[in-house]
Amino acid sequence: QMWRCEKLIRQVPESEVVGLTCLQLALVAGFSFMCVLAEGFSMPLVVETLSTLAPGEWMSVVTMGLVTTAFCLWAEACALQNVDASVAALIYACEPIWGAVFAYLWRGETLEGPCAMCGAGLLFLASMAGVMASTQEKADTMPEPRTA
């Protein structure tokens, strides 16, 4: 998926990245709404549920929509214009780690229990293994220096 996105985004002028992000957001919203309806929720039930959200909950919904969805899609599009897909995939693989770091810094949340710590360790090790494999792959594909 990253490889295809990299190929496509490099054809999009930088001035149209925001439009592409808006299109992606519209597709995410449309498919999400279809999933809600497919789960058996009716439109009146959705409206009723949304109307009962407290202001703090709406702030969370808006923050999640703008920061973790819209901003991330825009940043991904901008980054893929300049970064190889393999490097971007490694960055995305670290997303749960960054999520935990920002949750700690912003909200004071901590990982509790051995399963959470083991999971974080496995994510970190998998990310490092990916970086090492990518570095090795680049080293293997580099041409040997010529000797005169």
Side-chain angles (χ1 to χ4, degrees), residues 31-93:
F31 283 121
S32 298
F33 186 69
M34 286 191 296
C35 288
V36 166
L37 294 178
E39 286 290 318
F41 291 98
S42 65
M43 213 34 213
L45 181 60
V46 171
V47 171
E48 179 184 336
T49 303
L50 292 176
S51 67
T52 61
L53 292 178
E57 292 169 329
W58 273 110
M59 187 62 170
S60 295
V61 169
V62 169
T63 301
M64 294 290 283
L66 292 177
V67 176
T68 65
T69 305
F71 174 76
C72 288
L73 286 173
W74 173 79
E76 173 188 312
C78 290
L80 283 175
Q81 288 184 327
N82 304 307
V83 176
D84 290 337
S86 59
V87 174
L90 289 172
I91 293 168
Y92 289 126

Side-chain angles (χ1 to χ4, degrees), residues 61-145:
V61 169
V62 169
T63 301
M64 294 290 283
L66 292 177
V67 176
T68 65
T69 305
F71 174 76
C72 288
L73 286 173
W74 173 79
E76 173 188 312
C78 290
L80 283 175
Q81 288 184 327
N82 304 307
V83 176
D84 290 337
S86 59
V87 174
L90 289 172
I91 293 168
Y92 289 126
C94 295
E95 188 274 332
I97 296 169
W98 292 113
V101 168
F102 285 117
Y104 172 75
L105 294 174
W106 188 7
R107 301 189 40 105
E109 295 179 12
T110 58
L111 295 176
E112 296 180 13
C115 286
M117 294 302 239
C118 287
L122 287 172
L123 285 169
F124 183 75
L125 289 173
S127 298
M128 290 301 103
V131 168
M132 291 170 39
S134 177
T135 304
Q136 182 62 39
E137 183 179 304
K138 282 188 178 185
D140 291 345
T141 60
M142 295 277 293
E144 302 233 355

